[in-house]
Amino acid sequence: KEMIFKYYEKEIVITYPAKESLVRCRQVASSFSERGGLVFGQILTKDRAVINLVREVKPKNAKPRFCLFSKNDENKIIKEEYKKGNYLLGKWHTHYEDIPEPSDIDIASMKTYYATSKHNMPFFLMLIIGKEGSIYVGGFNDQEYRFEEIPR
């Protein structure tokens, strides 16, 4: 089933295939490497966006925490998906936590992405997938940051 939630006064839909891709990538053991990638979709109206695709980016350093992802690989994927009509809406990654909290590095990098990306969203998303498959969303704009669990 798809997930629908309100965020910054915008309805966000995560399609079932995108949700299942995220949940399959979760860290189920502390020794598993962090995984992450990019979130794509369409902005349907000024009040509604759909996340219909998540792409994994191979890490430069496979670590259980604070994994680094290749900017070159990210940019290549962003260009590929843009040609297909998919717009970058944010990023995702895993944390081996029941209730994942963004690190200071997560927050700083998302603020940078919001400031340097070309988009017409009022925010840039960060999805963090917990070890049990719960999905938490962070939104960043030029004024504030919010982070909350997406109701299942």
Side-chain angles (χ1 to χ4, degrees), residues 8-74:
Y8 283 105
E9 305 306 317
K10 188 177 285 285
E11 183 179 82
I12 309 290
V13 177
I14 302 177
T15 64
Y16 179 78
K19 179 185 85 168
E20 287 303 299
S21 292
L22 291 168
V23 172
R24 270 194 309 272
C25 289
R26 71 189 187 278
Q27 285 175 271
V28 295
S30 62
S31 60
F32 283 33
S33 295
E34 183 175 276
R35 295 171 77 176
L38 305 166
V39 175
F40 294 94
Q42 281 80 40
I43 300 163
L44 301 177
T45 68
K46 72 178 190 74
D47 299 323
R48 191 165 200 251
V50 173
I51 295 169
N52 59 7
L53 177 68
V54 294
R55 293 273 309 262
E56 188 168 3
V57 177
K58 296 295 180 206
K60 291 193 299 187
N61 66 332
K63 292 183 172 183
R65 191 95 165 126
F66 302 113
C67 196
L68 298 173
F69 299 96
S70 166
K71 294 276 186 230
N72 289 338
D73 290 349
E74 286 181 350

